[in-house]
Amino acid sequence: MLDQTTKRKLDSARQILVGKVPDPKAQVEQITTALIYKFMDDMDKENEEVGLKIQFFVDDWKKFSWTKLLDNKLSGQERLDLYVQAITNMPKNPHIPQLFRNIFKGAFLPYNDARTLSLFLKEINEFNYEHSENLGNAFEYLLSILGSQGDAGQFRTPRHIIDFMVDVVDPKKNETILDPACGTAGFLISAYKHILKQNKEKALTPDEKLKLMNNLAGYDISPDMVKLALVNMYLHGFPEPKIHEYDTLSSEKRWDETFDVIMANPPFMSPKGGIVPHNRFQIQANKAEVLFTDYILEHLNINGRAGIIVPEGIIFQTGKAYSGLRKLLLEKGLWSVVSLPVGVFNPYTKTTQTSILFVDKTLQKRNTGVVFIKVKSDGFDLGAERFPISENDLPEVVKLLNQHRKSTFIEKSYLQSKLIPLKDLFERSEVNFAVFNEVEDENNSNFQNIKIGEILKQQKNTEVVKVDKKYKQITVKMNGKGVILRKEIQGSNIKTKTQFIASTGDFIISKIDARNGAFGIVPTELNGAIVTSDFPLFRVDHSVMLPDFLNIVIQSSQFIKICQLTSVGTSNRRRVKLSKFLDSRIPLPTLKEQKKFLDRISGINSEILDLEEKTETLRDRMSIEVENIWTS
């Protein structure tokens, strides 16, 4: 665990830098460089204390030692000049290992302020290379503050999600382990800790521990990420981390390497124009998530296992590459798909839907189906800050999957889960994995479910409209609640062929923005407005569902999820596929139950209004009290 003193020191170092170095990633790089610099000096001092020769700051490099750098006789400008000279030349120091030369490669000081540097180095001087495990935890905390999206679409994987995946995959001490998009090496560190924990009763020998460290490898295309991964693993006791700067998708240099375990959260985002991969992939594609998943499947040993975080396209996207990949997954031992809540990757993205694919080639022969699980809560709220909460499905998911892997699947009432036979999955159109709605319908509602298409009837008859001077047009505003705004457009003698007339109480949806909440009920003031074909219009069967109840249903997160799951196309141009949307199911209480529900909602709204009124009254009283300070 990270102690509060170390956390405070790291926060203090960042606060010193923030005025000159506002980018969190650049702050981490500056702290990383300075820490390694300090630790080399610490190790030289340790050698001196036990009568050994110093290793790093010898001969002409003595002038760059940390002790010389912090000499009080130096002026601020002299210290700044010496520091810049040191970090710039350190990659040429023949007395330091290649690991450290790699860390210092490209290092520079992004500001020219002697006072800031002196304060910063004084704070770094408080750290000590005596307990590498504690420093490893400290560095993990430092990495956790990276709060911006990477250039290649990387999202920092939350620690508890990494640990969950490692618990399910369960790597062993003699297995080779790879992360082909390793970032800061979170999966590798977690796998290492997991194996040490599993061998706690009979601790690993020094030789076994060294072999384990040599069995862990990571690739990343970003030199900055490689540097951070090297430091992270070094501070966790790895003398020579096997982290390589490598383009996993375009280079063939390491193609013939295979591993027992592969775990990754590959970049979701592909560059404009797509990726140009080499021709050894089984699936022909130019999307990063498809190619990374294919790469992992191709590089597992005969009894290999994998855990892969993927975006929703892998699960639901139509198209030859996606359907071919899903078929390959089933053939290669896919045994579980765990859907994560939207918001797990806050603050990097609030809307990206992700799932975890678990592959186990040893289960291939007896695998009769794939377990689909929908995680409702991962132990944290879904706000930007992600505060811990008591609800957490992950421990129970681990138990369920372990039970299934050892024997047979036993459905748990407290989890949204279902075993789908392989035969059924292969027979689905385009080998589609869209089973989560079925799981939700069967386990999450006490009401009868009905297809949306049985409530909403699309207006298909085109009405040619000719209007003089001006006309009303509906605009759907995205705000998560399907609010519709009125928009007046001037025009004369307008003739259209693909527009429809809206009536009060109709349901309208934006094909493009529905998955972000762009849908709603047409209000009275927009009766007779013109709607274009990009906004499908539906008449509502009010004999089945009350208008006010439907308005409540479409404001729920589950309805937005339906819109997300039924959207198809590329990530930049996804549109709702109406046939899928209308086949989706929503809960249908009886009309009597709907009225009771609306009465309860009305009561809650009345309480809210009362509380708002009381709050306003209390605010007025507080303002009077504050003003009385001046008159008392």
Side-chain angles (χ1 to χ4, degrees):
M1 289 292 292
L2 175 64
D3 64 276
Q4 289 303 307
T5 302
T6 305
K7 182 177 181 293
R8 179 193 58 75
K9 289 177 186 175
L10 288 170
D11 289 338
S12 179
R14 289 185 53 238
Q15 287 303 314
I16 291 169
L17 290 175
V18 73
K20 303 292 181 182
V21 188
D23 177 31
K25 184 167 176 286
Q27 293 167 15
V28 172
E29 289 171 353
Q30 290 301 306
I31 295 171
T32 298
T33 301
L35 282 176
I36 293 299
Y37 194 157
K38 168 67 164 60
F39 295 158
M40 288 194 300
D41 198 71
D42 288 347
M43 286 182 273
D44 270 353
K45 286 178 180 176
E46 284 180 5
N47 283 349
E48 277 189 307
E49 288 173 4
V50 296
L52 298 174
K53 291 182 179 180
I54 60 174
Q55 295 174 268
F56 308 124
F57 297 104
V58 298
D59 300 331
D60 292 339
W61 298 88
K62 284 183 180 179
K63 63 183 178 182
F64 293 129
S65 72
W66 186 266
T67 306
K68 299 277 188 185
L69 185 67
L70 264 68
D71 190 336
N72 289 329
K73 294 177 183 178
L74 291 179
S75 69
Q77 187 60 47
E78 287 173 329
R79 181 174 295 110
L80 187 145
D81 292 341
L82 183 61
Y83 184 74
V84 170
Q85 191 181 356
I87 63 174
T88 304
N89 286 285
M90 204 65 74
K92 303 172 187 174
N93 185 344
H95 308 293
I96 67 176
Q98 185 63 47
L99 168 65
F100 291 167
R101 289 202 289 272
N102 290 340
I103 290 169
F104 279 101
K105 187 179 179 181
F108 70 101
L109 191 67
Y111 59 90
N112 186 26
D113 186 295
R115 181 176 177 276
T116 298
L117 178 65
S118 293
L119 289 171
F120 172 65
L121 295 181
K122 185 179 178 182
E123 198 66 52
I124 295 297
N125 197 48
E126 295 293 315
F127 292 92
N128 221 299
Y129 191 65
E130 290 179 356
H131 305 98
S132 62
E133 180 59 29
N134 290 342
L135 288 167
N137 291 334
F139 195 71
E140 285 185 36
Y141 166 71
L142 185 62
L143 294 176
S144 75
I145 59 93
L146 291 176
S148 57
Q149 181 179 329
D151 293 336
Q154 305 105 321
F155 301 134
R156 192 186 69 82
T157 316
R159 169 58 53 189
H160 66 288
I161 299 296
I162 291 176
D163 292 343
F164 162 73
M165 291 174 63
V166 170
D167 284 346
V168 174
V169 176
D170 192 23
K172 307 298 184 185
K173 67 179 182 180
N174 292 320
E175 292 181 318
T176 53
I177 302 167
L178 171 71
D179 182 346
C182 70
T184 60
F187 278 104
L188 301 177
I189 298 295
S190 180
Y192 175 67
K193 290 181 176 179
H194 174 86
I195 293 168
L196 293 182
K197 185 179 178 181
Q198 296 303 313
N199 292 273
K200 196 172 183 179
E201 290 185 10
K202 187 180 178 182
L204 299 181
T205 66
D207 285 345
E208 287 176 325
K209 206 169 183 180
L210 183 60
K211 182 181 177 182
L212 168 60
M213 290 178 175
N214 287 326
N215 279 344
L216 274 66
Y219 310 151
D220 203 283
I221 194 173
S222 164
D224 292 337
M225 288 296 109
V226 169
K227 181 185 293 188
L228 295 176
L230 286 171
V231 175
N232 197 12
M233 296 191 75
Y234 178 76
L235 292 178
H236 279 89
F238 287 71
E240 296 180 4
K242 302 295 186 290
I243 303 294
H244 307 282
E245 185 180 333
Y246 180 65
D247 186 344
T248 305
L249 303 184
S250 299
S251 175
E252 295 184 63
K253 184 179 177 182
R254 297 182 177 275
W255 183 264
D256 294 327
E257 297 176 1
T258 58
F259 295 83
D260 300 313
V261 171
I262 303 180
M263 292 177 287
N265 177 14
F268 294 176
M269 202 176 295
S270 300
K272 188 175 182 180
I275 293 167
V276 182
H278 52 74
N279 59 9
R280 297 182 71 176
F281 286 93
Q282 193 159 335
I283 303 296
Q284 300 304 307
N286 61 0
K287 294 294 183 183
E289 64 268 25
V290 176
L291 292 168
F292 265 110
T293 307
D294 182 5
Y295 182 94
I296 290 169
L297 295 176
E298 303 240 15
H299 288 79
L300 284 175
N301 285 334
I302 191 168
N303 293 319
R305 305 186 304 287
I308 319 160
I309 297 177
V310 296
E312 62 179 346
I314 298 294
I315 308 298
F316 307 109
Q317 190 76 285
T318 58
K320 185 177 179 181
Y322 289 99
S323 59
L325 181 64
R326 288 190 288 267
K327 183 173 182 291
L328 184 65
L329 278 161
L330 294 175
E331 292 170 348
K332 294 285 188 179
L334 178 71
W335 66 283
S336 181
V337 178
V338 177
S339 173
L340 298 174
V342 174
V344 162
F345 285 98
N346 268 335
Y348 313 103
T349 173
K350 296 180 180 179
T351 60
T352 300
Q353 174 67 51
T354 54
S355 295
I356 304 171
L357 309 178
F358 289 110
V359 175
D360 189 335
K361 287 191 167 186
T362 61
L363 295 178
Q364 239 173 306
K365 292 180 181 178
R366 69 174 182 85
N367 189 12
T368 57
V370 177
V371 176
F372 289 83
I373 301 177
K374 184 177 181 62
V375 173
K376 289 186 285 186
S377 177
D378 65 333
F380 295 83
D381 70 21
L382 297 177
E385 298 296 326
R386 300 235 64 204
F387 293 112
I389 57 175
S390 58
E391 294 82 10
N392 186 2
D393 294 337
L394 297 182
E396 296 303 323
V397 173
V398 173
K399 291 179 185 177
L400 177 69
L401 292 180
N402 284 340
Q403 176 63 35
H404 170 64
R405 187 157 53 187
K406 290 174 183 175
S407 53
T408 55
F409 174 73
I410 302 175
E411 190 169 325
K412 305 292 184 183
S413 59
Y414 47 79
L415 286 176
Q416 294 186 39
S417 58
K418 189 168 185 177
L419 176 65
I420 307 293
L422 283 179
K423 181 175 176 290
D424 291 355
L425 289 170
F426 274 117
E427 288 177 354
R428 283 173 178 263
S429 174
E430 296 185 327
V431 197
N432 201 310
F433 291 170
V435 302
F436 293 109
N437 278 351
E438 299 165 16
V439 173
E440 208 162 313
D441 290 342
E442 294 182 14
N443 293 304
N444 200 39
S445 177
N446 295 322
F447 300 120
Q448 173 190 349
N449 292 290
I450 189 170
K451 286 186 177 181
I452 293 174
E454 294 180 35
I455 299 172
L456 305 179
K457 302 298 180 185
Q458 187 176 3
Q459 301 308 295
K460 293 185 178 180
N461 295 325
T462 301
E463 299 193 30
V464 179
V465 182
K466 187 176 181 180
V467 185
D468 289 329
K469 294 188 178 178
K470 72 176 184 178
Y471 66 90
K472 293 182 293 184
Q473 183 181 40
I474 286 181
T475 302
V476 181
K477 183 176 178 63
M478 185 194 78
N479 68 350
K481 294 185 178 178
V483 172
I484 298 174
L485 299 184
R486 175 174 177 168
K487 183 177 181 182
E488 298 285 351
I489 298 181
Q490 298 292 330
S492 61
N493 218 18
I494 295 171
K495 187 174 182 180
T496 65
K497 293 185 178 179
T498 57
Q499 297 183 336
F500 312 94
I501 298 295
S503 299
T504 301
D506 283 353
F507 174 80
I508 185 173
I509 185 169
S510 166
K511 284 183 179 179
I512 299 172
D513 293 320
R515 62 196 188 117
N516 293 319
F519 44 73
I521 305 296
V522 176
T524 303
E525 62 267 24
L526 285 176
N527 184 57
I530 294 174
V531 182
T532 68
S533 56
D534 273 337
F535 297 86
L537 193 67
F538 299 86
R539 293 280 141 81
V540 183
D541 186 349
H542 292 159
S543 67
V544 178
M545 185 169 283
L546 299 174
D548 289 342
F549 184 78
L550 176 60
N551 204 27
I552 295 293
V553 170
I554 66 174
Q555 291 182 40
S556 69
S557 61
Q558 295 298 330
F559 191 83
I560 292 177
K561 183 67 179 293
I562 288 174
C563 295
Q564 292 171 340
L565 298 183
T566 55
S567 295
V568 297
T570 63
S571 57
N572 295 328
R573 191 68 179 170
R574 289 177 68 75
R575 299 170 71 87
V576 169
K577 188 170 184 177
L578 290 182
S579 59
K580 289 186 175 183
F581 172 75
L582 295 172
D583 275 342
S584 300
R585 294 178 175 271
I586 58 176
L588 180 69
T590 64
L591 292 177
K592 185 177 180 180
E593 288 169 329
Q594 291 178 41
K595 289 176 182 176
K596 287 182 178 178
F597 178 84
L598 291 171
D599 287 342
R600 291 198 299 275
I601 294 294
S602 178
I604 293 170
N605 279 328
S606 295
E607 288 183 38
I608 291 171
L609 292 173
D610 287 343
L611 289 171
E612 287 175 347
E613 188 174 332
K614 288 177 183 177
T615 301
E616 192 60 37
T617 302
L618 289 171
R619 283 202 182 100
D620 290 342
R621 281 176 56 190
M622 184 171 66
S623 297
I624 292 169
E625 290 292 334
V626 171
E627 293 300 323
N628 282 343
I629 294 173
W630 299 93
T631 57
S632 297

